[in-house]
Amino acid sequence: MTTKDDAHETPPEADATAAGPSVPATSRGPDATSPGARGFALALLSVAVLLGMSGWFAATSVAPLLEARWDLETSQLSLLTTLVQIGFVAGTLAAAILNLADVLPLRAYFGLSALLAAATNGALLLVDGFAAAAVLRFLTGVFLAGVYPPAMKMVATWFFSARGFAIGTVVGALTLGKAAPYLVKGVGSATVEAVVWATTLGGALGGIAVLLLYRDGPYPFARRPFAWSRVTELLRHRPTMLATGGYLGHMWELYAFWALVYLWNASVFESPDLVTWAMIASGAIGCVWGGRLADALGRVRVANGSMAISGACCLVAGWIMEWPFLVLAVGLVWGVTVVADSAQFSALVTEVAPSHAVGTALTLQTMLGFTLTGVSIEVATRVHAAAGWVAAWSLLAIGPVLGILSMRAL
């Protein structure tokens, strides 16, 4: 998985404002700069992220089965999804304050986090009610905070000129991971045990693979000791905050769409599992496509185009439910574009944030975005219950509008 630019990666030393290496070129092994080494690192991290993040929607995908098993209320089912978001926010907040992605070895940070997330995901099979499940969902989110944000920094150490493509591929893998429980449920045994076991084993394998096989690439970021001031430094850094503002608009829409799209499809299709998987998984195409376009045309242009299309989908989705073909078509376009811009906000941060704080900047951006997703999921769920799909989906269009404004300022 390499691009024609990879053989001519621009050395970070050439740009003092970029997030550059902390070691001289002469200290890199010759194999580290080869396209094959970059391709292996990208493939390894993409597969590990796909497997590691597969537990995110493990409970959401089998919500009707858990509702019957534990006699849950609708609000409790919604919370099983929201608590993963809240746990992720707590984990990224702690990681940002403690500068974990800038002071810890990334291989160990990712690998151990993936293993712990897999353990708390698998423990769902050992509990018998909402209270214990809620704690486990929260902890799964906490540990997944050590999987996704570090992965973006890790892959950025291997790519410079093609960084948008590389991070886009990792985000595409994350998207496939989020969709995985619906695929397991749709083509396999539609049981809680099947989905939880599959996502747990996948998460554990992803963590083990990184622990055994990953090493940093030829463009490592500067490492600094822990500093309390690093977060406040970033909050005052205008380019980083504008890139984060675009990300916040994007996140207002993204996770509410992913969390509610199964219910939307269930209102239209007799068998919504595979349709839901296709709509979420199609985002992987958008991530890779968006990354390639962004490297060629510019990140802001691609991000704004993606938000404009996905925002339009928000405004029409509630009106077309009498026509299943239109629902499928709009849902697939929405699935591609709703996440196609995600990697570009992260790539922008790796390029505009101070080199010594890139890991913390990515973690801070992610933390703020996922804090907002907890709000948007709950608000959209309640608006849907009170006023229907037109109102719920239209509400999400606010995010792309504000995101475009922030990116235009950047």
Side-chain angles (χ1 to χ4, degrees):
M1 283 183 284
T2 58
T3 71
K4 63 182 180 181
D5 294 322
D6 293 346
H8 305 286
E9 289 284 308
T10 304
E13 294 93 338
D15 184 356
T17 65
S22 57
V23 295
T26 54
S27 69
R28 306 173 195 148
D31 60 324
T33 60
S34 70
R38 281 191 290 274
F40 175 79
L42 180 57
L44 171 64
L45 287 170
S46 297
V47 172
V49 167
L50 188 161
L51 295 174
M53 300 300 289
S54 63
W56 190 290
F57 285 133
T60 307
S61 65
V62 292
L65 302 177
L66 293 177
E67 180 180 24
R69 176 178 292 192
W70 293 335
D71 192 25
L72 301 180
E73 300 176 358
T74 302
S75 60
Q76 291 175 315
L77 288 175
S78 173
L79 275 173
L80 288 180
T81 299
T82 303
L83 282 166
V84 181
Q85 314 286 124
I86 295 172
F88 190 88
V89 169
T92 50
L93 176 61
I97 292 173
L98 298 174
N99 310 161
L100 295 184
D102 287 315
V103 300
L104 292 180
L106 293 176
R107 177 174 63 181
Y109 185 26
F110 181 112
L112 294 176
S113 296
L115 289 172
L116 290 169
T120 54
N121 184 67
L124 279 173
L125 298 178
L126 304 178
V127 301
D128 59 0
F130 172 76
V135 173
L136 290 173
R137 289 282 79 195
F138 173 82
L139 290 175
T140 299
V142 169
F143 295 131
L144 287 176
V147 175
Y148 172 46
M152 292 186 289
K153 183 180 179 183
M154 292 159 79
V155 78
T157 70
W158 284 95
F159 292 81
F160 192 74
S161 64
R163 189 169 288 173
F165 161 72
I167 296 180
T169 302
V170 171
V171 177
L174 172 142
T175 304
L176 290 175
K178 298 288 182 71
Y182 295 103
L183 180 63
V184 172
K185 186 178 174 222
V187 302
S189 176
T191 65
V192 173
E193 286 75 14
V195 171
V196 173
W197 268 115
T199 53
T200 297
L201 291 174
L205 286 173
I208 292 170
V210 167
L211 285 172
L212 294 179
L213 301 174
Y214 175 78
R215 62 187 177 88
D216 282 338
Y219 309 119
F221 294 91
R223 293 183 66 180
R224 297 287 189 274
F226 166 76
W228 286 111
S229 61
R230 195 160 289 152
V231 173
T232 56
E233 174 189 357
L234 290 168
L235 291 174
R236 293 193 298 266
H237 191 253
R238 186 172 184 271
T240 300
M241 287 299 98
L242 285 175
T244 299
Y247 180 73
L248 293 179
H250 151 81
M251 290 294 277
W252 172 265
E253 176 193 11
L254 175 62
Y255 273 79
F257 168 71
W258 279 352
L260 295 178
V261 68
Y262 179 85
L263 292 178
W264 186 51
N265 286 325
S267 302
V268 179
F269 300 101
E270 184 176 344
S271 301
D273 294 301
L274 290 180
V275 176
T276 300
W277 171 80
M279 289 180 182
I280 298 177
S282 65
I285 299 171
C287 290
V288 177
W289 162 78
R292 285 193 178 276
L293 280 182
D295 286 332
L297 303 178
R299 308 206 192 288
V300 172
R301 184 178 299 177
V302 170
N304 283 350
S306 297
M307 286 189 284
I309 296 171
S310 66
C313 291
C314 293
L315 296 176
V316 304
W319 299 95
I320 60 174
M321 298 181 65
E322 295 297 322
W323 301 280
F325 175 78
L326 278 180
V327 169
L328 179 61
V330 170
L332 289 173
V333 171
W334 199 357
V336 169
T337 56
V338 74
V339 72
D341 49 352
S342 187
Q344 304 320 309
F345 301 114
S346 302
L348 277 169
V349 164
T350 70
E351 293 167 349
V352 303
S355 176
H356 65 278
V358 166
T360 299
L362 286 168
T363 306
L364 179 65
Q365 181 192 58
T366 306
M367 182 273 293
L368 293 173
F370 277 86
T371 299
L372 192 61
T373 65
V375 176
S376 67
I377 289 172
E378 285 299 310
V379 170
T381 299
R382 293 176 185 276
V383 170
H384 163 249
W389 285 114
V390 171
W393 285 145
S394 297
L395 176 73
L396 299 186
I398 295 171
V401 171
L402 296 179
I404 289 172
L405 291 176
S406 185
M407 295 301 283
R408 286 177 65 85
L410 178 64

